[in-house]
Amino acid sequence: MYTHVYDESAFKNSIISKHKVTTTFISKLPMAIKAYQSYLPLMPLALEELDLNGYDLVISSESGPAKGVIPPPGIPHICYCHSPMRYAWDMYNEYKNRAGWLKRKIMPPLMHYLRRWDQQNSTQVTHFVANSSFVAKRIYSYYRREASVIHPPVSFDEFNISETQGDYYLLLGQLVSYKRADIAVKAFNKSGKKLIVVGEGEQFNELKEIANPNVQLLGRQPFNEIKRLLSECQALVFPGVEDFGIVPLEAMASGRPVIAYKKGGALETVAEGISGMFFNEQSEQSLQVAINEFENNKHNFKPEVIRAYVKKFDQIRFKQEFKELADKILSGY
C-alpha cells in the first residue's frame, strides 16, 4: 500500500495495519498528519517519485491526484475514481468562494496547473472504474474516458434491524456546505419534528446556532452509537448530492428507509417506494413535503424488505466484480 501520509496509531488492529505501508515525502513535512491537504501542490511530484517496480498490477483509489503514479512499462493501471478532483473541477467556484483571501489569490494558477496535470495523467490510466454512473459521466466530461461502474461495498453484517423504534429522523455525515445539512435543520425547525444530526465539520457551529430545541446536534459519535441511531430512526434524511453515498446503504442495511434529494449517487442506491423516497428540489419546502408524504405512507416500508434489497451492495459482490475486471485487464497484457 502506498499513500502520502499514514497515521499508524489510527489503524491499530485493522486490515491496513497488516500490510506494508509506504509513504511519500509528504509524510515527513511539518504537521503532515493533520495538515496534509495543505501540501496538495507537492502531491503530483510526490506521487511521481514512488517506485512501483515489481508489481503485476497497480490500482489507484482516488478523489484527488492518486492516479498520477507512474507504473513500470507494460504494467496495467486501474484507477478506481470516487470523483474527479472536486476542488479543481465541478466545485471549484464553491471552494474558492469559501476560502480565505490568501487561498483565493493562490487558487486560480494552482488549479489551472492541477487541471492540466490531471487531464494529462488520465491518459496514462489503463482503465477507469467509477463508483457510480453519476461519477462515470463526470470522468467522461473531464477526461473523455469511458469507465466501468462498480459500486462501493457496505459492511452489511455490521448492521441489524432493531425491535425498538425511535421518534426521530436522522442526518448523518460530515457537516460541509455541499451536503446541505442546513436544508434539513431549517425544514425540521419549521415542522417541529425531531431531528438528530451526527457529524462534525465547518458548518457545525452555524447549524448549532440556528437549530431549534427539536433539532439535536450530537457531533461525532462512536460506531456502536451510530449503528443504534441508524437502526432506530424513523428514516435517514439525505439532502446533499453525493458521488455515491455509503450512509444511505448503512441505513437500509439497518432496515430503515431513506428520504433523499433526487440527484447523484442516491438515484443508484435508493429504490423509490421500496427502500425510500425522493424530493425533487434541494429546498426545505420540498423536503418537508417529502417527509409529510413519507409519514402518510411509512407503513408500506418493511425493514426486512429494505435490508434484503441492499444486500446486493455487500462486500462479497464488490470483491467479485473488481477481481473479474482485474483478471480481464491482466489477460490482455
Side-chain angles (χ1 to χ4, degrees):
M1 297 186 69
Y2 291 79
T3 184
H4 286 299
V5 178
Y6 177 49
D7 182 3
E8 191 172 353
S9 64
F11 293 96
K12 288 181 178 178
N13 302 318
S14 73
I15 291 176
I16 289 177
S17 69
K18 296 177 175 62
H19 289 266
K20 179 184 177 183
V21 179
T22 301
T23 58
T24 70
F25 68 75
I26 300 290
S27 66
K28 298 179 175 63
L29 299 177
M31 300 289 292
I33 288 177
K34 290 187 177 180
Y36 67 92
Q37 292 172 320
S38 299
Y39 295 116
L40 175 64
L42 299 175
M43 288 182 183
L45 175 62
L47 289 163
E48 290 170 0
E49 286 195 346
L50 289 174
D51 181 1
L52 300 180
N53 282 300
Y55 297 102
D56 299 315
L57 173 68
V58 172
I59 301 173
S60 58
S61 177
E62 69 146 29
S63 55
K67 66 178 171 295
V69 295
I70 303 176
I75 299 302
H77 172 191
I78 299 174
C79 175
Y80 189 36
C81 184
H82 306 284
S83 171
M85 291 188 284
R86 282 184 168 276
Y87 40 82
W89 296 107
D90 57 307
M91 292 185 65
Y92 166 70
N93 287 315
E94 184 173 334
Y95 276 91
K96 183 183 175 185
N97 292 336
R98 295 203 323 261
W101 71 270
L102 180 59
K103 284 187 177 181
R104 283 200 301 272
K105 293 288 186 183
I106 295 172
M107 280 186 74
L110 172 60
M111 292 305 153
H112 174 76
Y113 151 70
L114 274 177
R115 289 188 201 104
R116 301 287 76 78
W117 179 87
D118 194 41
Q119 283 185 323
Q120 179 183 355
N121 278 280
S122 71
T123 65
Q124 300 180 55
V125 172
T126 308
H127 192 89
F128 274 97
V129 181
N131 67 359
S132 66
S133 297
F134 181 62
V135 168
K137 291 175 183 176
R138 296 223 307 272
I139 290 171
Y140 186 80
S141 176
Y142 298 131
Y143 306 145
R144 289 295 185 264
R145 296 288 305 275
E146 299 288 346
S148 302
V149 176
I150 299 179
H151 294 125
V154 63
S155 301
F156 185 81
D157 293 334
E158 292 276 4
F159 301 91
N160 294 288
I161 295 172
S162 174
E163 296 180 2
T164 304
Q165 189 70 64
D167 62 349
Y168 62 89
Y169 291 81
L170 180 66
L171 189 149
L172 170 62
Q174 195 177 9
L175 302 179
V176 293
S177 60
Y178 80 89
K179 292 181 182 281
R180 300 309 309 269
D182 58 303
I183 290 174
V185 171
K186 290 174 183 176
F188 279 84
N189 277 348
K190 287 185 178 180
S191 70
K193 294 179 172 64
K194 187 173 179 180
L195 174 69
I196 292 179
V197 180
V198 174
E200 296 177 316
E202 62 194 33
Q203 283 198 316
F204 182 85
N205 291 332
E206 175 189 336
L207 296 173
K208 191 87 170 175
E209 287 180 8
I210 67 171
N212 288 345
N214 60 299
V215 178
Q216 299 179 31
L217 279 86
L218 302 183
R220 188 173 183 175
Q221 295 294 307
F223 186 47
N224 283 339
E225 179 63 7
I226 288 172
K227 289 194 291 184
R228 184 190 70 80
L229 290 167
L230 281 168
S231 65
E232 295 180 7
C233 69
Q234 291 284 317
L236 178 80
V237 178
F238 199 68
V241 179
E242 289 283 4
D243 303 315
F244 178 68
I246 290 292
V247 171
L249 295 183
E250 293 176 341
M252 291 184 277
S254 306
R256 306 313 308 149
V258 178
I259 303 172
Y261 175 46
K262 198 172 186 177
K263 192 173 180 181
L267 290 170
E268 299 173 50
T269 58
V270 179
E272 191 158 26
I274 297 173
S275 67
M277 57 189 301
F278 295 106
F279 57 100
N280 296 320
E281 296 178 5
Q282 208 171 29
S283 67
E284 57 199 81
Q285 294 82 7
S286 186
L287 175 56
Q288 277 187 294
V289 169
I291 290 170
N292 290 337
E293 184 180 346
F294 167 74
E295 294 198 342
N296 290 332
N297 295 280
K298 62 183 178 183
H299 58 278
N300 293 326
F301 294 98
K302 308 299 183 185
E304 295 80 7
V305 174
I306 296 172
R307 183 169 163 83
Y309 162 77
V310 83
K311 185 74 167 66
K312 65 183 180 181
F313 293 100
D314 68 6
Q315 291 175 328
I316 294 173
R317 180 273 320 166
F318 174 78
K319 290 178 180 179
Q320 180 180 341
E321 288 184 13
F322 214 105
K323 186 178 185 303
E324 287 174 356
L325 176 66
D327 287 343
K328 181 179 179 181
I329 290 170
L330 282 167
S331 68
Y333 276 76

